[in-house]
Amino acid sequence: MEDTTGKVITCQAAVAWEAKKPLVIETVEVEPPKAGEVRIKILYTGVCRSDAFFLNGSDPRKPFPFILGHEGGGIVESVGEGVTTVKPGDHVIPLYVPQCNECKFCKSPKSNLCDEMGIKYVKGVMPDGTSRFKCKGKPVYHLMGCSTFSQYTVVTETSVTKVNPSAPLDKVCLLGCGISTGYGAALNTAKVEPGSTCAIWGLGGVGLAVAMGCKEAGASRIIGVDINPDKFELGKKFGLTEGVNPKDHDKPIQDVLVGMTDGGLDFTFECIGNVACMRAALESCHKGWGVATVIGVAPAQQEISTRPFQLVTGRVWQGSVFGGWKSKDSIPKLVDSYMNKKILVDEFVSNNINLNQINEAFDLMHSGKSIRTVVKLW
Ligand code: APR
Ligand code: ZN
């Protein structure tokens, strides 16, 4: 293999030039990593709803053009000065929630946020304020610190973690977002208890991973709430015990669920990003102790509401990002859990496509027919 260390690499990437337009496969230049950075050859990437969120221009602060993708798996090509936690040849997963280990959040056991997130999301540049991607002579911005829709990418050392080299990257790439998010929300954020009753709004990749976490925690009932009834049968594999379609009922879904569960659920999860469902999930909780966890990302500007009496009488409304996992420390462990057959990952892959078909992955996602599409970069 040619030694590319220190050189600009020319490769293929899917570039988002404008909001709401299909991605365009382009030849891009990827600069070598600077100090504290890592250049990765990406082999596989998942396509997630948050990619669509940014492509739709839902965050108006995000400058175009940029390279999407944050559920990737690859091999380190070269590292910049001072990098110690990964080396060329390591199998790695990029992290959209970084872990710098130095900020207030990283030092607290109470949170998995990290101060580095802001700049990575909004400005789309590396810490020195510049981008490592160029296309047609113009800079192309990074996204969520990952940009895995490219055959090569550059990330900071805080946004990448080394994983077991025998793990199949075409599967474990999905642990970079959706699966870990749902599974961790049940186990780390809600701390679902044995024998408890749970309900999950939205049975996409995130909601199904919540079901998997609830099952592992020993929940006695795991009720899926979805307007697409095809999801109920599918959900059984992940631990769902029953399904409820709000369209089958005239009364509000919270009344239906409270009736089905002798006063309400112990734990509920919103995995859609719909503020009306967030309210229903809170109001379906049992008085005195029910806990509602918000996972779905709602459109910017929207607000949630309920009567404060719901909280005064002991229900808890909380949220979670990336399942509460401290990313750099936890993803290697989740990969091992998959290798030890403790968690499902293969079952989340419904389609496999090549980079030049990437726009089809968005169509599949919007059609509701696919849980996750995995894109092969090479
Ligand atoms: N009521 C019930 N179910 C709904 C509703 C609704 N009003 N609207 C959509 N759904 C269902 C869909 O039928 C689908 O099964 O929600 C599910 C959403 O699944 P996906 O679109 O596959 O989304 P997913 O990848 O799981 O992400 C869900 O989590 O991390 C966030 O940004 C992500 O906000 C998104 C959410
Ligand atoms: Zn940090």
Side-chain angles (χ1 to χ4, degrees), residues 98-107 113-117 158:
Q99 186 185 339
C100 77
N101 282 332
E102 278 164 23
C103 74
K104 200 174 180 181
F105 296 101
C106 284
K107 285 183 177 158
L113 295 175
C114 172
D115 262 343
E116 280 190 11
M117 271 179 94
T158 52

Side-chain angles (χ1 to χ4, degrees), residues 48-50 177 181 201-207 225-228 231 246 271-274 277 295-298 365 370-372:
C48 165
R49 201 151 273 278
S50 325
C177 179
T181 297
W201 272 252
L203 300 173
V206 175
V225 182
D226 203 297
I227 50 175
N228 177 355
K231 300 285 178 112
C271 312
I272 302 166
N274 176 315
C277 295
I295 311 169
V297 179
M365 182 171 67
S370 143
I371 310 177
R372 275 292 190 276

Side-chain angles (χ1 to χ4, degrees), residues 173-194:
C173 64
L174 298 183
L175 290 170
C177 179
I179 300 179
S180 306
T181 297
Y183 178 66
L187 295 176
N188 303 328
T189 313
K191 300 189 171 68
V192 169
E193 292 158 358

Side-chain angles (χ1 to χ4, degrees), residues 47-49 52 204-205 228 231 348-354 357-375:
V47 178
C48 165
R49 201 151 273 278
N228 177 355
K231 300 285 178 112
F348 287 87
V349 181
S350 14
N351 301 81
N352 290 281
I353 61 169
N354 294 321
Q357 301 166 294
I358 194 155
N359 289 302
E360 291 170 30
F362 288 90
D363 299 340
L364 282 165
M365 182 171 67
H366 295 305
S367 75
K369 290 199 180 81
S370 143
I371 310 177
R372 275 292 190 276
T373 298
V374 172
V375 181

Side-chain angles (χ1 to χ4, degrees), residues 269-327:
F269 300 87
E270 201 280 351
C271 312
I272 302 166
N274 176 315
V275 293
C277 295
M278 292 176 191
R279 178 177 192 153
L282 175 77
E283 295 179 356
S284 302
C285 282
H286 202 287
K287 193 160 59 173
W289 58 73
V291 178
T293 303
V294 174
I295 311 169
V297 179
Q301 323 294 336
Q302 291 195 357
E303 298 185 351
I304 48 172
S305 59
T306 189
R307 297 216 175 93
F309 193 66
Q310 293 281 336
L311 304 179
V312 171
T313 49
R315 295 173 193 84
V316 176
W317 216 353
Q318 62 176 13
S320 148
V321 67
F322 195 55
W325 303 107
K326 284 199 185 276
S327 61

